[in-house]
Amino acid sequence: MTTIEEQLRTYATAVAGPVRHRCDQPDADGSIDASTQRPGTRGPKLALRAAALVLVVVAIAAVLAVRSRSEDNSPASSATEWYPLRVELEVSTTTPSPTQTVQATMTVTNISADPFEVPQPCPSDISLTPTAEVQTQDNPPAIPPDLEGTAPSDGVQPVERLRALFSNFTMGSLFQPEDPSRPCHGGTIELQPGESTSTTGYREMAGLGLDPIDMSLAAAAKPYIQTRVVIPFTMPPSPDGVLTRSAALDLALAQPAVQQFAQTAADDPPPGEPDMIGRTGFKPVDDGWEMSYESGDHRLVVQINSDGTGTIAADGVESPIDPTLAD
Amino acid sequence: MVEPLAAAERQDPDPRIGQLFEDFAPRLRQALLAYGGSDDIDDAVADTFAYLCEHSDRVLSMANPHGYLYRVARSRVSRSRRRHPALPPVPQALQPEVEPGLPAALATLSDKQRVSVFLTTGLGWSAREVGEFLGIGESSVRNHCARGLAKLRAHIGEVTS
């Protein structure tokens, strides 16, 4: 089974091609050679890719996963071989403290006797993801509840739709380059037999915004989902006195002003939208959380401090949060 | 009188422009491809670079020059392409692993859904990078991405390899 995500990666890589590491100004004749952006149009590379695709089918059954994990706060590693690639993932710890920065390195090695072209790995290829949503060949990524095609009148309460919108985690938490101001933009690299390439990413645990649910560190040599390598990961508990993301959401949705806003937004969806679909924001702020929702003419901003106090701004009307409404 | 000055400026451009565009142009091409298809990209990129040269002081002083230039480039994509994005067909060598109807299915998504899905899921951009281009937050990018994927899944489903 080829997932939508896998198809997208294969297609996008082929048509949008590698990132060029030079200024893409027009050539002297005013043109830009689009073929240089498309590895699929290059003869030898095309043959190599076609051969690789055939090998994918043949080699899936030969996937070998070697996994090791330490139980204490020490480095862990895991590796997957998917001919002609071996992908190894190392992480500085799988049981970090709430203030720790986790470092992870993915190394891709060509284990075949022929050159093989792969996208240059980037730190964002490594992600921290709820285990249930880790994308593997046998486990396509979970998606949030179907928020479209279901009108509010079908019985789904607006406040629950709002909860679903705020609970969207599907993309996981991506690792960042050491210098976030210099993001990695990939490109492709041709690995010679035995040659490796690697990337190292960093992820601060503070402010990550995820509750201590069953998590995994996952990485793959894009676009080959068969190279996915996974390491179980234990999220650190939230420090005392700090509201978790889910607790903040529960408290916000328990507020009458928020519930009334949800009903109003559901009754007045933006033109062209079948129901209350909007842009959501959910981020840690200095001493708590800020949730925002915008749909058509309706806008909600909820700020919740760690002690449960805070403010609600619903369509411009401000009101305080009642911390006693928390479960 | 004007032309010699303009020529002199072209010979000695602000080095920040070259650096900005060197970092930016490859990603701009990818984002424009997702937005409107491949037909107008070359012209849009060239026009954007010309705009950057003409307004370098203003653009370089912006907090998010990439997002601004992306909007400039988008405005250069023809109106017909904006309404009916023409993404390249699936190369023969990728079929049947990639469903031939994928480009048409992508074209049915909203602009932000299509750009978010194509750049994050397809090309591995981070939500933050896409948000910078689209001028929206990371969570919004993730929302667009999730909805876009759901639509694609409903539209073409999965194919057996």
Side-chain angles (χ1 to χ4, degrees):
Chain A
M1 187 72 82
T2 305
T3 66
I4 291 294
E5 290 81 358
E6 175 74 13
Q7 292 184 57
L8 272 168
R9 288 189 194 99
T10 305
Y11 169 71
T13 303
V15 300
V19 175
R20 291 199 283 187
H21 293 284
R22 65 177 177 82
C23 186
D24 268 357
Q25 297 173 39
D27 297 332
D29 63 356
S31 67
I32 291 181
D33 183 7
S35 68
T36 61
Q37 297 263 335
R38 302 182 182 191
T41 63
R42 286 176 288 179
K45 300 288 169 54
L46 176 61
L48 191 59
R49 281 179 170 272
L53 282 172
V54 173
L55 285 172
V56 168
V57 179
V58 176
I60 285 175
V63 171
L64 172 66
V66 180
R67 181 174 298 175
S68 64
R69 181 198 176 202
S70 64
E71 297 298 328
D72 56 11
N73 190 7
S74 60
S77 66
S78 181
T80 292
E81 286 186 6
W82 173 82
Y83 192 85
L85 298 176
R86 171 183 169 85
V87 177
E88 183 173 14
L89 180 61
E90 295 178 280
V91 61
S92 57
T93 176
T94 57
T95 54
S97 71
T99 57
Q100 201 165 352
T101 295
V102 174
Q103 174 182 335
T105 298
M106 178 174 68
T107 303
V108 180
T109 304
N110 177 6
I111 58 174
S112 75
D114 299 305
F116 191 78
E117 187 176 78
V118 295
Q120 175 69 49
C122 284
S124 58
D125 295 340
I126 307 168
S127 67
L128 195 54
T129 303
T131 299
E133 297 178 1
V134 172
Q135 183 185 3
T136 64
Q137 186 182 353
D138 299 323
N139 180 34
I143 60 172
D146 185 5
L147 302 174
E148 294 178 285
T150 308
S153 57
D154 68 357
V156 179
Q157 293 302 313
V159 71
E160 291 307 313
R161 301 182 67 78
L162 207 52
R163 181 189 299 279
L165 287 168
F166 279 122
S167 300
N168 178 3
F169 276 118
T170 49
M171 296 301 291
S173 180
L174 304 178
F175 276 58
Q176 303 290 334
E178 186 170 19
D179 180 0
S181 67
R182 299 184 61 83
C184 171
H185 298 305
T188 58
I189 183 171
E190 186 171 82
L191 293 177
Q192 299 304 312
E195 188 179 9
S196 297
T197 182
S198 66
T199 184
T200 298
Y202 302 82
R203 184 71 250 189
E204 291 181 2
M205 293 294 102
L208 190 57
L210 300 179
D211 297 302
I213 56 178
D214 190 14
M215 299 288 287
S216 288
L217 192 72
K222 291 179 177 177
Y224 308 111
I225 189 174
Q226 290 87 351
T227 64
R228 184 82 59 203
V229 55
V230 177
I231 298 177
F233 192 89
T234 302
M235 287 295 297
S238 294
D240 290 342
V242 173
L243 267 184
T244 64
R245 190 183 194 279
S246 59
L249 181 58
D250 287 343
L251 179 56
L253 296 179
Q255 304 299 311
V258 174
Q259 294 174 354
Q260 183 177 352
F261 170 87
Q263 186 63 58
T264 302
D267 291 341
D268 183 27
E273 292 285 2
D275 48 30
M276 57 178 293
I277 297 169
R279 294 190 298 176
T280 57
F282 200 153
K283 62 182 180 183
V285 291
D286 288 344
D287 182 34
W289 298 88
E290 180 182 289
M291 284 166 263
S292 61
Y293 172 76
E294 186 175 356
S295 176
D297 296 331
H298 301 288
R299 179 168 173 77
L300 172 74
V301 178
V302 180
Q303 287 188 307
I304 299 183
N305 302 319
S306 289
D307 61 2
T309 63
T311 57
I312 301 166
D315 288 338
V317 179
E318 290 202 5
S319 58
I321 284 179
D322 180 356
T324 65
L325 293 177
D327 293 334
Chain B
M1 292 295 288
V2 174
E3 286 184 2
L5 178 59
E9 286 177 345
R10 281 198 297 272
Q11 289 169 1
D12 187 21
D14 186 334
R16 294 177 299 170
I17 296 176
Q19 183 61 47
L20 173 63
F21 216 75
E22 184 172 356
D23 295 341
F24 173 66
R27 290 197 295 148
L28 177 63
R29 296 181 64 87
Q30 294 181 334
L32 288 177
L33 183 90
Y35 174 68
S38 56
D39 287 357
D40 299 321
I41 287 182
D42 292 346
D43 288 343
V45 171
D47 286 353
T48 305
F49 186 67
Y51 181 93
L52 173 61
C53 292
E54 291 173 14
H55 305 87
S56 59
D57 287 343
R58 189 159 66 89
V59 174
L60 292 173
S61 66
M62 292 177 175
N64 180 12
H66 289 174
Y68 186 82
L69 290 173
Y70 171 63
R71 287 191 286 277
V72 170
R74 270 193 344 189
S75 70
R76 266 56 175 180
V77 175
S78 70
R79 188 163 296 175
S80 63
R81 286 285 170 246
R82 280 182 246 167
R83 289 178 183 159
H84 306 289
L87 280 88
V90 176
Q92 195 71 33
L94 301 183
Q95 299 178 28
E97 283 76 13
V98 179
E99 163 64 41
L102 181 60
L106 282 165
T108 66
L109 305 185
S110 71
D111 292 342
K112 286 179 179 172
Q113 287 174 352
R114 183 171 59 257
V115 172
S116 298
V117 163
F118 190 89
L119 297 181
T120 57
T121 306
L123 294 173
W125 288 33
S126 70
R128 184 170 58 85
E129 292 170 324
V130 176
E132 182 187 54
F133 268 55
L134 298 182
I136 60 178
E138 293 178 43
S139 62
S140 297
V141 172
R142 285 191 279 268
N143 283 339
H144 285 304
C145 203
R147 289 173 199 144
L149 286 173
K151 276 187 180 176
L152 288 179
R153 195 170 282 110
H155 199 284
I156 65 174
E158 317 278 355
V159 295
T160 303
S161 62

